[in-house]
Amino acid sequence: MKTKWQGIELKVHGPRASLGRVSAVMSNTLRETGRTRAFYGVLIVAMLLLFGSVILSDLALVNQKARLVQDFGLFTIPLVTILTGVLLGVVLLQKEIEKKTLYAILPKPIRRGEFLLGKYLGLCTLLLLEMLVLALCWFAVLALRGGEISAPIFSALLLSYVEVMLITAIATFFSSLSSPLLSGILTLGMFIIGRISYIIVDLMNASKGVFAEVAAMRWLGRGIMVVVPDLSAFNISDELLLGWPVTPEYLLHSIGYGLSYSAIFLVLGLLVFERRDLT
Amino acid sequence: MSKILEVSHLSKTFRVGLLARPVVAVRDVSFSMEPGQVLGYLGPNGSGKTTSIKCILGLIQPSQGDIRLFGQSSNSAEARTRVGYMPEHPYFYDYLKPTEVLDYVGQLFGIDAQVRRKRIPELLERLGLGHAMDRTLRGFSKGMLQRVGIAQSLLNDPDLLIYDEPMSGLDPVGRKELRELLVELREEGRSIFITSHILSDIENICDSVVILNQGVAIAEGPLDTLLQRDKLQSSATIRLPSGEQRQAAVDALVALPAVTASTETEGAMMIRLPTDAVPQLSAKAAECGAHLVDLQPVRDTLEELFMRKAVTTASDSGDDS
């Protein structure tokens, strides 16, 4: 029998070992999600849409063609990447539980937090690759229409990716406590409310409308402001349209805001996942 | 030497349905394992075997009780490095090749990449998967997946192997090969915790057993003691006399204190009793005009033990209620 080895060394303690485990789960998740047919379906449709914007731009005024392609890309790329994140994020843990693959992994010396983080980072890496592919298509179309690929465009993409990371963290959190369908509905609900929460804030500040007049709604509005991240922080399309500068301070603040909220949702997800019985 | 595994008063209650109705899966189970021991954790389907394993491995939290692996908390990384686990129906990522599954597992154990590259093909070769190393698991048969499960459980060179229903779904050849492998693993000095609902399959492998029924341990201890292997039993065939003497002979033989079981057929009867009481039986038979015509040694089986215990437990609980 040759299964008994002499002097095999198992390194399971310390930050380096922990990083190794996270990275193992991350690579496997990247490999797993990268084989999802739905992912390629969404990617191909998005690429076709971006290339299709060339045709759409013919309908625009002569000096507005590049503008249209730019706006179309700024709208399409984050939306498609976020939808992919939600689609894959809500089944992130559920799939492992349903397929029972988790039962062979978690009894190994890996913490549930490391597993969850690895899954999340693996998915985020895939979404980054998706965004890069779509951005390259977009740049090609933009160049074709004589548009300028300026620094603010890169800032817009960077902030969009932070938004993608945040929505994926929300999907991961919901995935740790409910079914994929419910997780999907809740995540998309958070996304939509997050996108329009600035309107609620404006209404409350302006002291008009139902959020200012009804006490219960005022409390609800305040609750939404605390629980749901304000996703308008990642949207700089107005700045691009009007040619306003995007300061490094604003960028850093928005990135910090997004990453902090992502961390909060991941920690909440971990707290739930840590106590969950894997029956 | 400290215990490999100590389970004290383990209980697990699940809450099911909208009204969170409590369902007791395991109730106050205690047992322990010594180094090098092979423990059979036996019982019918739904008796709480897998729930107990999931508690031991931290997949679910016990409602009550304490579990120690190698003297440490069962959730400690240190303890987990010394355990190899194969779940029932081992499911792995079917898009991976066996080498990739083992590489992933090796990374979780912090095994050096160079060591992984050397050991993984060796292990797969040893388990008869050398020809399938470059195929994804998608096309693997049940038996081949079981081998991958065993390979990943041995990668960290564990002291304790926990196998949940390893025989389940295997054909007779696969079961025989697995039995042989388990014997080899035992000979290497590994402790093995094995569950099964097919009692005869692992009767010859285990040193000790815990028998569960409806979440309760109904028997626990060394197999030899439980099966009373130190007390040899025999089955005697007695040819009975004809006529009026027949009933008198039957009554006299059954009345012997050593007789544990008897069945009467046409012209003969079968009597089960300890082997050392056979001369007494033979003498009594001759006295009644009967003849001892055949004698066979008999051994209690795990299945018989289980049935006996299950019936006793059921009647005890019936008496209680």
Side-chain angles (χ1 to χ4, degrees), chain A residues 28 31 35 99-101 104-105, chain B residues 86-87 89-105 120 124 127-153:
Chain A
N28 191 51
R31 190 153 35 182
R35 290 178 196 227
K99 290 197 162 187
K100 299 188 176 177
T101 44
I105 299 302
Chain B
M86 179 174 69
H89 310 301
Y91 291 99
F92 301 105
Y93 305 94
D94 59 6
Y95 50 86
L96 296 181
K97 297 169 186 166
T99 44
E100 292 170 333
V101 172
L102 265 64
D103 195 61
Y104 180 30
V105 170
I120 289 170
L124 289 171
L127 287 161
L129 287 170
H131 65 288
M133 274 196 258
D134 292 323
R135 282 162 50 189
T136 58
L137 301 192
R138 195 164 285 141
F140 273 33
S141 68
K142 169 85 191 165
M144 288 165 83
L145 282 175
Q146 207 84 340
R147 285 161 202 249
V148 176
I150 293 170
Q152 63 85 34
S153 75

Short mmCIF file of all heavy atoms in Angstrom, two decimals, chain A residues 28 31 35 99-101 104-105, chain B residues 86-87 89-105 120 124 127-153:
data_model
loop_
_atom_site.label_atom_id
_atom_site.label_comp_id
_atom_site.label_asym_id
_atom_site.label_seq_id
_atom_site.Cartn_x
_atom_site.Cartn_y
_atom_site.Cartn_z
N ASN A 28 -11.12 28.07 -8.47
CA ASN A 28 -12.13 27.06 -8.83
C ASN A 28 -13.46 27.73 -9.21
O ASN A 28 -14.14 27.30 -10.13
CB ASN A 28 -12.33 26.07 -7.68
CG ASN A 28 -13.16 24.88 -8.12
OD1 ASN A 28 -12.85 24.26 -9.15
ND2 ASN A 28 -14.21 24.59 -7.41
N ARG A 31 -13.19 29.14 -12.61
CA ARG A 31 -13.27 28.06 -13.58
C ARG A 31 -14.73 27.60 -13.73
O ARG A 31 -15.21 27.37 -14.82
CB ARG A 31 -12.40 26.90 -13.09
CG ARG A 31 -12.20 25.82 -14.09
CD ARG A 31 -10.92 25.06 -13.89
NE ARG A 31 -10.51 24.86 -12.51
CZ ARG A 31 -9.39 24.24 -12.19
NH1 ARG A 31 -8.61 23.77 -13.12
NH2 ARG A 31 -9.05 24.07 -10.94
N ARG A 35 -17.57 28.46 -16.97
CA ARG A 35 -18.14 27.40 -17.82
C ARG A 35 -19.66 27.50 -17.90
O ARG A 35 -20.30 26.64 -18.45
CB ARG A 35 -17.77 26.04 -17.25
CG ARG A 35 -16.31 25.75 -17.41
CD ARG A 35 -15.96 24.42 -16.81
NE ARG A 35 -14.52 24.35 -16.64
CZ ARG A 35 -13.77 23.33 -17.00
NH1 ARG A 35 -14.33 22.29 -17.53
NH2 ARG A 35 -12.47 23.35 -16.82
N LYS A 99 -25.67 20.64 -5.21
CA LYS A 99 -24.85 19.62 -5.87
C LYS A 99 -23.99 18.84 -4.88
O LYS A 99 -23.23 17.95 -5.27
CB LYS A 99 -23.95 20.28 -6.92
CG LYS A 99 -24.73 20.78 -8.12
CD LYS A 99 -23.80 21.03 -9.28
CE LYS A 99 -24.56 21.11 -10.58
NZ LYS A 99 -23.68 21.19 -11.74
N LYS A 100 -24.09 19.23 -3.60
CA LYS A 100 -23.39 18.55 -2.50
C LYS A 100 -21.86 18.61 -2.63
O LYS A 100 -21.17 17.79 -2.01
CB LYS A 100 -23.86 17.10 -2.37
CG LYS A 100 -25.34 17.00 -2.06
CD LYS A 100 -25.73 15.58 -1.77
CE LYS A 100 -27.19 15.55 -1.37
NZ LYS A 100 -27.68 14.22 -1.12
N THR A 101 -21.36 19.52 -3.44
CA THR A 101 -19.90 19.63 -3.57
C THR A 101 -19.29 20.25 -2.31
O THR A 101 -18.13 19.99 -1.98
CB THR A 101 -19.55 20.50 -4.79
OG1 THR A 101 -20.40 21.63 -4.81
CG2 THR A 101 -19.73 19.73 -6.08
N ALA A 104 -17.81 17.94 0.65
CA ALA A 104 -16.46 17.36 0.59
C ALA A 104 -15.41 18.44 0.88
O ALA A 104 -14.27 18.11 1.18
CB ALA A 104 -16.23 16.74 -0.77
N ILE A 105 -15.78 19.71 0.76
CA ILE A 105 -14.80 20.79 0.90
C ILE A 105 -14.74 21.34 2.33
O ILE A 105 -13.66 21.49 2.89
CB ILE A 105 -15.13 21.94 -0.10
CG1 ILE A 105 -15.06 21.42 -1.54
CG2 ILE A 105 -14.21 23.14 0.09
CD1 ILE A 105 -13.72 20.83 -1.96
N MET B 86 -14.98 11.10 3.28
CA MET B 86 -15.67 10.88 2.01
C MET B 86 -17.17 10.84 2.29
O MET B 86 -17.64 9.98 3.03
CB MET B 86 -15.24 9.57 1.37
CG MET B 86 -15.99 9.33 0.06
SD MET B 86 -15.42 7.89 -0.84
CE MET B 86 -15.98 6.57 0.21
N PRO B 87 -17.92 11.79 1.70
CA PRO B 87 -19.36 11.80 1.94
C PRO B 87 -20.06 10.67 1.21
O PRO B 87 -19.50 10.06 0.29
CB PRO B 87 -19.81 13.16 1.39
CG PRO B 87 -18.73 13.62 0.50
CD PRO B 87 -17.48 12.88 0.82
N HIS B 89 -22.36 9.20 -1.51
CA HIS B 89 -22.46 9.64 -2.91
C HIS B 89 -21.53 10.83 -3.14
O HIS B 89 -21.98 11.96 -3.22
CB HIS B 89 -23.88 10.08 -3.27
CG HIS B 89 -24.92 9.09 -2.88
ND1 HIS B 89 -24.92 7.81 -3.35
CD2 HIS B 89 -25.98 9.20 -2.05
CE1 HIS B 89 -25.96 7.17 -2.82
NE2 HIS B 89 -26.60 7.97 -2.03
N PRO B 90 -20.23 10.61 -3.16
CA PRO B 90 -19.32 11.75 -3.29
C PRO B 90 -19.55 12.56 -4.56
O PRO B 90 -19.46 12.02 -5.66
CB PRO B 90 -17.93 11.13 -3.27
CG PRO B 90 -18.13 9.71 -3.59
CD PRO B 90 -19.51 9.34 -3.18
N TYR B 91 -19.93 13.81 -4.40
CA TYR B 91 -20.13 14.70 -5.53
C TYR B 91 -18.96 15.67 -5.57
O TYR B 91 -18.67 16.32 -4.58
CB TYR B 91 -21.43 15.49 -5.39
CG TYR B 91 -22.66 14.64 -5.52
CD1 TYR B 91 -23.33 14.19 -4.41
CD2 TYR B 91 -23.14 14.28 -6.78
CE1 TYR B 91 -24.46 13.39 -4.52
CE2 TYR B 91 -24.26 13.49 -6.89
CZ TYR B 91 -24.92 13.05 -5.77
OH TYR B 91 -26.03 12.26 -5.89
N PHE B 92 -18.31 15.72 -6.70
CA PHE B 92 -17.25 16.69 -6.87
C PHE B 92 -17.59 17.52 -8.09
O PHE B 92 -18.57 17.25 -8.77
CB PHE B 92 -15.90 15.99 -7.03
CG PHE B 92 -15.57 15.13 -5.86
CD1 PHE B 92 -15.67 13.76 -5.92
CD2 PHE B 92 -15.19 15.70 -4.67
CE1 PHE B 92 -15.40 12.96 -4.82
CE2 PHE B 92 -14.93 14.92 -3.56
CZ PHE B 92 -15.03 13.55 -3.65
N TYR B 93 -16.77 18.52 -8.35
CA TYR B 93 -17.05 19.41 -9.48
C TYR B 93 -16.86 18.59 -10.76
O TYR B 93 -15.74 18.19 -11.07
CB TYR B 93 -16.11 20.61 -9.42
CG TYR B 93 -16.21 21.31 -8.09
CD1 TYR B 93 -15.34 21.02 -7.06
CD2 TYR B 93 -17.20 22.26 -7.85
CE1 TYR B 93 -15.44 21.64 -5.81
CE2 TYR B 93 -17.32 22.88 -6.62
CZ TYR B 93 -16.43 22.57 -5.61
OH TYR B 93 -16.56 23.18 -4.39
N ASP B 94 -17.96 18.33 -11.46
CA ASP B 94 -17.88 17.38 -12.58
C ASP B 94 -17.15 17.92 -13.81
O ASP B 94 -16.89 17.18 -14.74
CB ASP B 94 -19.27 16.85 -12.95
CG ASP B 94 -20.23 17.95 -13.35
OD1 ASP B 94 -19.78 19.10 -13.45
OD2 ASP B 94 -21.42 17.65 -13.57
N TYR B 95 -16.81 19.21 -13.78
CA TYR B 95 -16.07 19.77 -14.90
C TYR B 95 -14.56 19.62 -14.67
O TYR B 95 -13.77 20.01 -15.53
CB TYR B 95 -16.43 21.26 -15.10
CG TYR B 95 -16.34 22.06 -13.83
CD1 TYR B 95 -15.13 22.61 -13.41
CD2 TYR B 95 -17.45 22.25 -13.03
CE1 TYR B 95 -15.04 23.31 -12.24
CE2 TYR B 95 -17.38 22.96 -11.86
CZ TYR B 95 -16.18 23.50 -11.46
OH TYR B 95 -16.09 24.20 -10.29
N LEU B 96 -14.20 19.08 -13.51
CA LEU B 96 -12.77 18.91 -13.21
C LEU B 96 -12.31 17.48 -13.51
O LEU B 96 -13.11 16.55 -13.51
CB LEU B 96 -12.50 19.21 -11.74
CG LEU B 96 -12.75 20.62 -11.23
CD1 LEU B 96 -12.40 20.71 -9.76
CD2 LEU B 96 -11.94 21.64 -12.01
N LYS B 97 -11.01 17.37 -13.74
CA LYS B 97 -10.40 16.04 -13.87
C LYS B 97 -10.01 15.59 -12.46
O LYS B 97 -9.86 16.43 -11.57
CB LYS B 97 -9.14 16.13 -14.73
CG LYS B 97 -9.42 16.57 -16.16
CD LYS B 97 -8.14 16.89 -16.88
CE LYS B 97 -8.45 17.46 -18.25
NZ LYS B 97 -7.29 18.09 -18.88
N PRO B 98 -9.83 14.26 -12.26
CA PRO B 98 -9.47 13.81 -10.91
C PRO B 98 -8.21 14.49 -10.38
O PRO B 98 -8.12 14.81 -9.19
CB PRO B 98 -9.26 12.32 -11.06
CG PRO B 98 -9.55 11.96 -12.45
CD PRO B 98 -10.00 13.14 -13.19
N THR B 99 -7.26 14.75 -11.27
CA THR B 99 -6.02 15.41 -10.83
C THR B 99 -6.32 16.83 -10.33
O THR B 99 -5.75 17.31 -9.36
CB THR B 99 -5.00 15.51 -11.99
OG1 THR B 99 -5.71 15.93 -13.15
CG2 THR B 99 -4.32 14.20 -12.26
N GLU B 100 -7.28 17.48 -11.01
CA GLU B 100 -7.64 18.86 -10.62
C GLU B 100 -8.40 18.88 -9.30
O GLU B 100 -8.19 19.77 -8.47
CB GLU B 100 -8.47 19.51 -11.73
CG GLU B 100 -7.68 19.77 -13.00
CD GLU B 100 -8.54 20.19 -14.19
OE1 GLU B 100 -9.74 19.83 -14.24
OE2 GLU B 100 -8.02 20.88 -15.07
N VAL B 101 -9.27 17.87 -9.09
CA VAL B 101 -10.00 17.79 -7.81
C VAL B 101 -8.99 17.63 -6.68
O VAL B 101 -9.04 18.34 -5.67
CB VAL B 101 -10.97 16.58 -7.81
CG1 VAL B 101 -11.57 16.37 -6.43
CG2 VAL B 101 -12.07 16.76 -8.82
N LEU B 102 -8.05 16.71 -6.86
CA LEU B 102 -7.07 16.46 -5.82
C LEU B 102 -6.13 17.65 -5.61
O LEU B 102 -5.69 17.92 -4.49
CB LEU B 102 -6.27 15.19 -6.13
CG LEU B 102 -6.82 13.93 -5.46
CD1 LEU B 102 -8.20 13.57 -5.94
CD2 LEU B 102 -5.89 12.75 -5.62
N ASP B 103 -5.85 18.36 -6.69
CA ASP B 103 -4.99 19.54 -6.57
C ASP B 103 -5.69 20.62 -5.73
O ASP B 103 -5.08 21.27 -4.88
CB ASP B 103 -4.65 20.08 -7.96
CG ASP B 103 -3.50 21.06 -7.90
OD1 ASP B 103 -2.40 20.63 -7.47
OD2 ASP B 103 -3.69 22.24 -8.22
N TYR B 104 -6.99 20.78 -5.99
CA TYR B 104 -7.80 21.75 -5.24
C TYR B 104 -7.80 21.37 -3.75
O TYR B 104 -7.53 22.22 -2.89
CB TYR B 104 -9.22 21.72 -5.83
CG TYR B 104 -10.22 22.65 -5.20
CD1 TYR B 104 -9.86 23.87 -4.63
CD2 TYR B 104 -11.59 22.33 -5.19
CE1 TYR B 104 -10.81 24.72 -4.08
CE2 TYR B 104 -12.54 23.18 -4.65
CZ TYR B 104 -12.15 24.36 -4.09
OH TYR B 104 -13.09 25.20 -3.54
N VAL B 105 -8.07 20.10 -3.48
CA VAL B 105 -8.08 19.62 -2.09
C VAL B 105 -6.69 19.80 -1.46
O VAL B 105 -6.57 20.24 -0.31
CB VAL B 105 -8.54 18.14 -2.04
CG1 VAL B 105 -8.33 17.54 -0.66
CG2 VAL B 105 -10.01 18.03 -2.44
N ILE B 120 -0.19 13.19 -6.31
CA ILE B 120 -1.54 13.02 -6.87
C ILE B 120 -1.58 11.90 -7.92
O ILE B 120 -2.40 10.99 -7.81
CB ILE B 120 -2.10 14.36 -7.39
CG1 ILE B 120 -2.42 15.27 -6.19
CG2 ILE B 120 -3.35 14.16 -8.25
CD1 ILE B 120 -2.75 16.69 -6.53
N LEU B 124 -3.70 8.35 -7.46
CA LEU B 124 -4.74 7.97 -8.44
C LEU B 124 -4.38 6.63 -9.10
O LEU B 124 -5.25 5.79 -9.33
CB LEU B 124 -4.91 9.07 -9.49
CG LEU B 124 -5.58 10.35 -8.98
CD1 LEU B 124 -5.50 11.44 -10.03
CD2 LEU B 124 -7.03 10.10 -8.59
N LEU B 127 -5.19 3.83 -6.81
CA LEU B 127 -6.62 3.55 -6.69
C LEU B 127 -7.25 3.14 -8.02
O LEU B 127 -8.46 3.13 -8.18
CB LEU B 127 -7.34 4.77 -6.10
CG LEU B 127 -7.05 4.95 -4.60
CD1 LEU B 127 -7.35 6.35 -4.14
CD2 LEU B 127 -7.82 3.94 -3.77
N GLY B 128 -6.40 2.84 -8.98
CA GLY B 128 -6.89 2.31 -10.25
C GLY B 128 -7.51 3.35 -11.16
O GLY B 128 -8.35 3.02 -12.00
N LEU B 129 -7.11 4.61 -10.98
CA LEU B 129 -7.67 5.66 -11.85
C LEU B 129 -6.61 6.23 -12.80
O LEU B 129 -6.83 7.28 -13.41
CB LEU B 129 -8.24 6.80 -10.99
CG LEU B 129 -9.55 6.48 -10.27
CD1 LEU B 129 -9.89 7.57 -9.26
CD2 LEU B 129 -10.71 6.33 -11.26
N GLY B 130 -5.51 5.50 -12.91
CA GLY B 130 -4.42 5.97 -13.77
C GLY B 130 -4.86 6.22 -15.20
O GLY B 130 -4.42 7.18 -15.84
N HIS B 131 -5.77 5.37 -15.69
CA HIS B 131 -6.22 5.49 -17.08
C HIS B 131 -7.19 6.65 -17.29
O HIS B 131 -7.47 7.03 -18.42
CB HIS B 131 -6.90 4.19 -17.50
CG HIS B 131 -8.17 3.93 -16.75
ND1 HIS B 131 -8.18 3.55 -15.41
CD2 HIS B 131 -9.47 4.03 -17.12
CE1 HIS B 131 -9.44 3.42 -15.02
NE2 HIS B 131 -10.23 3.70 -16.03
N ALA B 132 -7.73 7.18 -16.19
CA ALA B 132 -8.79 8.20 -16.33
C ALA B 132 -8.37 9.57 -15.80
O ALA B 132 -9.20 10.44 -15.60
CB ALA B 132 -10.04 7.73 -15.60
N MET B 133 -7.06 9.75 -15.62
CA MET B 133 -6.59 11.00 -15.01
C MET B 133 -6.90 12.23 -15.84
O MET B 133 -7.05 13.31 -15.31
CB MET B 133 -5.08 10.90 -14.76
CG MET B 133 -4.75 10.24 -13.46
SD MET B 133 -3.06 10.53 -12.99
CE MET B 133 -2.30 9.01 -13.41
N ASP B 134 -6.98 12.06 -17.15
CA ASP B 134 -7.19 13.22 -18.02
C ASP B 134 -8.62 13.37 -18.49
O ASP B 134 -8.90 14.11 -19.42
CB ASP B 134 -6.24 13.14 -19.22
CG ASP B 134 -4.80 13.33 -18.78
OD1 ASP B 134 -4.58 14.14 -17.87
OD2 ASP B 134 -3.92 12.63 -19.32
N ARG B 135 -9.53 12.63 -17.84
CA ARG B 135 -10.94 12.77 -18.21
C ARG B 135 -11.67 13.55 -17.12
O ARG B 135 -11.34 13.44 -15.94
CB ARG B 135 -11.58 11.38 -18.33
CG ARG B 135 -11.24 10.68 -19.64
CD ARG B 135 -11.50 9.21 -19.56
NE ARG B 135 -12.82 8.88 -19.04
CZ ARG B 135 -13.20 7.66 -18.73
NH1 ARG B 135 -12.37 6.64 -18.86
NH2 ARG B 135 -14.40 7.42 -18.28
N THR B 136 -12.68 14.32 -17.52
CA THR B 136 -13.43 15.04 -16.49
C THR B 136 -14.37 14.06 -15.79
O THR B 136 -14.74 13.03 -16.34
CB THR B 136 -14.27 16.19 -17.10
OG1 THR B 136 -15.15 15.66 -18.08
CG2 THR B 136 -13.40 17.25 -17.73
N LEU B 137 -14.76 14.43 -14.57
CA LEU B 137 -15.57 13.52 -13.75
C LEU B 137 -16.97 13.30 -14.32
O LEU B 137 -17.66 12.38 -13.91
CB LEU B 137 -15.72 14.08 -12.33
CG LEU B 137 -14.47 14.32 -11.50
CD1 LEU B 137 -14.83 14.58 -10.06
CD2 LEU B 137 -13.52 13.14 -11.55
N ARG B 138 -17.36 14.17 -15.25
CA ARG B 138 -18.70 14.08 -15.83
C ARG B 138 -19.01 12.68 -16.36
O ARG B 138 -20.11 12.19 -16.24
CB ARG B 138 -18.84 15.14 -16.94
CG ARG B 138 -20.24 15.40 -17.35
CD ARG B 138 -20.35 16.69 -18.13
NE ARG B 138 -20.24 17.85 -17.25
CZ ARG B 138 -19.59 18.96 -17.54
NH1 ARG B 138 -18.96 19.06 -18.67
NH2 ARG B 138 -19.55 19.96 -16.70
N GLY B 139 -17.99 12.04 -16.94
CA GLY B 139 -18.22 10.73 -17.55
C GLY B 139 -17.86 9.56 -16.64
O GLY B 139 -17.80 8.43 -17.10
N PHE B 140 -17.64 9.83 -15.36
CA PHE B 140 -17.20 8.77 -14.46
C PHE B 140 -18.37 7.93 -13.96
O PHE B 140 -19.47 8.45 -13.72
CB PHE B 140 -16.48 9.38 -13.25
CG PHE B 140 -15.01 9.61 -13.46
CD1 PHE B 140 -14.53 9.94 -14.72
CD2 PHE B 140 -14.12 9.51 -12.42
CE1 PHE B 140 -13.17 10.16 -14.92
CE2 PHE B 140 -12.76 9.72 -12.61
CZ PHE B 140 -12.29 10.05 -13.86
N SER B 141 -18.12 6.63 -13.76
CA SER B 141 -19.14 5.75 -13.17
C SER B 141 -19.15 5.97 -11.66
O SER B 141 -18.25 6.62 -11.11
CB SER B 141 -18.80 4.29 -13.46
OG SER B 141 -17.63 3.94 -12.75
N LYS B 142 -20.16 5.40 -11.03
CA LYS B 142 -20.31 5.53 -9.57
C LYS B 142 -19.05 5.01 -8.84
O LYS B 142 -18.54 5.64 -7.93
CB LYS B 142 -21.55 4.73 -9.16
CG LYS B 142 -21.73 4.51 -7.71
CD LYS B 142 -22.42 5.66 -7.07
CE LYS B 142 -22.34 5.49 -5.56
NZ LYS B 142 -22.66 6.65 -4.82
N GLY B 143 -18.57 3.86 -9.31
CA GLY B 143 -17.40 3.26 -8.69
C GLY B 143 -16.16 4.13 -8.83
O GLY B 143 -15.36 4.25 -7.92
N MET B 144 -16.03 4.76 -10.02
CA MET B 144 -14.86 5.62 -10.25
C MET B 144 -14.93 6.88 -9.38
O MET B 144 -13.93 7.34 -8.84
CB MET B 144 -14.77 6.00 -11.73
CG MET B 144 -14.34 4.83 -12.62
SD MET B 144 -14.66 5.18 -14.35
CE MET B 144 -13.23 6.13 -14.79
N LEU B 145 -16.15 7.42 -9.23
CA LEU B 145 -16.31 8.61 -8.38
C LEU B 145 -15.97 8.26 -6.93
O LEU B 145 -15.36 9.06 -6.21
CB LEU B 145 -17.75 9.12 -8.44
CG LEU B 145 -18.12 9.92 -9.68
CD1 LEU B 145 -19.61 10.26 -9.67
CD2 LEU B 145 -17.32 11.22 -9.77
N GLN B 146 -16.36 7.04 -6.55
CA GLN B 146 -16.05 6.57 -5.20
C GLN B 146 -14.54 6.53 -4.98
O GLN B 146 -14.04 6.89 -3.94
CB GLN B 146 -16.66 5.17 -5.02
CG GLN B 146 -17.01 4.82 -3.60
CD GLN B 146 -18.38 5.36 -3.22
OE1 GLN B 146 -18.89 6.28 -3.86
NE2 GLN B 146 -18.96 4.84 -2.19
N ARG B 147 -13.83 6.11 -6.01
CA ARG B 147 -12.36 6.05 -5.92
C ARG B 147 -11.76 7.45 -5.81
O ARG B 147 -10.79 7.67 -5.09
CB ARG B 147 -11.76 5.36 -7.13
CG ARG B 147 -11.94 3.86 -7.11
CD ARG B 147 -11.75 3.32 -8.51
NE ARG B 147 -12.39 2.04 -8.67
CZ ARG B 147 -11.73 0.91 -8.84
NH1 ARG B 147 -10.43 0.91 -8.86
NH2 ARG B 147 -12.38 -0.20 -8.99
N VAL B 148 -12.34 8.39 -6.56
CA VAL B 148 -11.86 9.78 -6.45
C VAL B 148 -12.11 10.26 -5.02
O VAL B 148 -11.26 10.93 -4.41
CB VAL B 148 -12.59 10.71 -7.46
CG1 VAL B 148 -12.16 12.15 -7.27
CG2 VAL B 148 -12.32 10.27 -8.89
N GLY B 149 -13.28 9.88 -4.48
CA GLY B 149 -13.62 10.25 -3.10
C GLY B 149 -12.61 9.70 -2.12
O GLY B 149 -12.17 10.39 -1.20
N ILE B 150 -12.21 8.47 -2.33
CA ILE B 150 -11.22 7.86 -1.43
C ILE B 150 -9.86 8.54 -1.61
O ILE B 150 -9.18 8.86 -0.64
CB ILE B 150 -11.11 6.34 -1.69
CG1 ILE B 150 -12.43 5.67 -1.28
CG2 ILE B 150 -9.96 5.73 -0.91
CD1 ILE B 150 -12.54 4.23 -1.70
N ALA B 151 -9.51 8.80 -2.88
CA ALA B 151 -8.21 9.44 -3.15
C ALA B 151 -8.12 10.80 -2.45
O ALA B 151 -7.12 11.10 -1.78
CB ALA B 151 -8.02 9.60 -4.66
N GLN B 152 -9.18 11.61 -2.56
CA GLN B 152 -9.12 12.93 -1.92
C GLN B 152 -9.11 12.81 -0.40
O GLN B 152 -8.56 13.65 0.29
CB GLN B 152 -10.24 13.86 -2.43
CG GLN B 152 -11.67 13.43 -2.17
CD GLN B 152 -12.19 13.85 -0.81
OE1 GLN B 152 -11.82 14.89 -0.30
NE2 GLN B 152 -13.03 13.02 -0.22
N SER B 153 -9.69 11.71 0.12
CA SER B 153 -9.70 11.55 1.58
C SER B 153 -8.33 11.12 2.10
O SER B 153 -8.05 11.25 3.29
CB SER B 153 -10.76 10.53 1.99
OG SER B 153 -10.32 9.22 1.70
#
